[in-house]
């Protein structure tokens, strides 16, 4: 099963993706977002003239950006409507504050697209480590462990090994 690249998936959705360091932010805003408090956010989706623009926290590791981008793309794919929409002074629509249910759906869909259950089952059944699978799919070990637990892959592999 081939790995799904979130950046290529974004292209199919006509969504633009930028790192925050690529934006022409005022120094005080860039400093706040990328130096002072970079752990307070991972990504956001903006809507500019009908085009979705995803901004990623460029200080985060690539594996975290991968998961964040797929999460944001899941919101777009599922056509989630934020509970609150804020308009920036420049007129950009900042889509924020999705409902908890929508956040859960985006978490599950994003993770499933990055780490399909059948691929996890195949790879774990072949004896590949979570670390190897995470590296193969370009995600964090934490996300891979979570998917293996939530899909029941670990239990199924253990049961097969005992049989």
């Amino acid at each position: 099963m081939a790995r799904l690249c979130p950046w290529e998936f974004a292209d199919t959705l006509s969504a633009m993706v930028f790192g925050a360091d690529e934006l022409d932010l005022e120094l005080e805003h860039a400093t706040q977002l990328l130096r002072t408090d970079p752990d307070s956010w991972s990504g956001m989706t903006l809507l500019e003239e009908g085009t979705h623009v995803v901004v990623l926290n460029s200080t985060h590791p690539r594996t975290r950006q991968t998961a964040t981008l797929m999460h944001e793309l899941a919101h777009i794919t599922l056509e989630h409507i934020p509970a609150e929409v804020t308009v920036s002074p420049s007129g950009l629509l900042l889509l924020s504050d999705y409902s908890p249910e929508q956040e859960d759906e985006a978490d599950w869909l994003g993770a499933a697209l990055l780490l399909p259950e059948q691929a996890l089952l195949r790879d774990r059944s072949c004896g590949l480590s979570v670390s190897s699978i995470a590296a193969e799919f370009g995600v964090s070990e934490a996300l891979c462990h979570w998917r293996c637990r939530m899909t029941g892959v670990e239990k199924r592999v253990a049961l097969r090994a005992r049989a």
Side-chain angles (χ1 to χ4, degrees):
M1 187 168 291
R3 169 180 162 178
L4 176 60
C5 173
W7 283 265
E8 291 174 9
F9 185 45
D11 288 342
T12 69
L13 298 175
S14 299
M16 300 175 69
V17 181
F18 297 97
D21 61 343
E22 298 176 87
L23 303 178
D24 187 22
L25 298 173
E26 292 181 21
L27 181 59
E28 78 175 279
H29 299 296
T31 300
Q32 176 64 34
L33 289 172
L34 301 173
R35 290 198 182 104
T36 305
D37 200 12
D39 293 330
S40 68
W41 72 288
S42 296
M44 66 180 131
T45 299
L46 313 167
L47 187 60
E48 173 67 17
E49 298 178 4
T51 299
H52 286 98
V53 178
V54 179
V55 179
L56 300 173
N57 186 330
S58 46
T59 67
H60 286 173
R62 180 71 169 197
T63 54
R64 174 78 181 269
Q65 291 181 42
T66 296
T68 299
L69 177 54
M70 195 59 87
H71 174 92
E72 294 298 323
L73 296 176
H75 280 304
I76 294 168
T77 300
L78 294 166
E79 298 180 353
H80 284 164
I81 299 170
E84 179 182 325
V85 177
T86 307
V87 180
S88 72
S90 64
L92 290 177
L93 291 180
L94 305 176
L95 307 182
S96 59
D97 294 334
Y98 290 102
S99 71
E101 293 81 15
Q102 288 177 333
E103 288 296 341
D104 286 345
E105 285 180 346
D107 283 343
W108 279 90
L109 179 58
L113 290 170
L114 288 170
L115 292 164
E117 182 177 347
Q118 289 304 312
L120 290 173
L121 188 57
R122 175 200 66 212
D123 290 352
R124 290 297 285 144
S125 295
C126 291
L128 288 179
S129 68
V130 167
S131 176
S132 296
I133 296 168
E136 174 188 347
F137 284 89
V139 300
S140 68
E141 288 183 35
L143 180 60
C144 193
H145 275 293
W146 182 80
R147 277 291 289 161
C148 285
R149 277 193 328 273
M150 293 299 111
T151 58
V153 163
E154 292 301 324
K155 288 183 180 180
R156 287 183 276 168
V157 169
L159 286 172
R160 286 181 183 173
R162 282 187 240 155

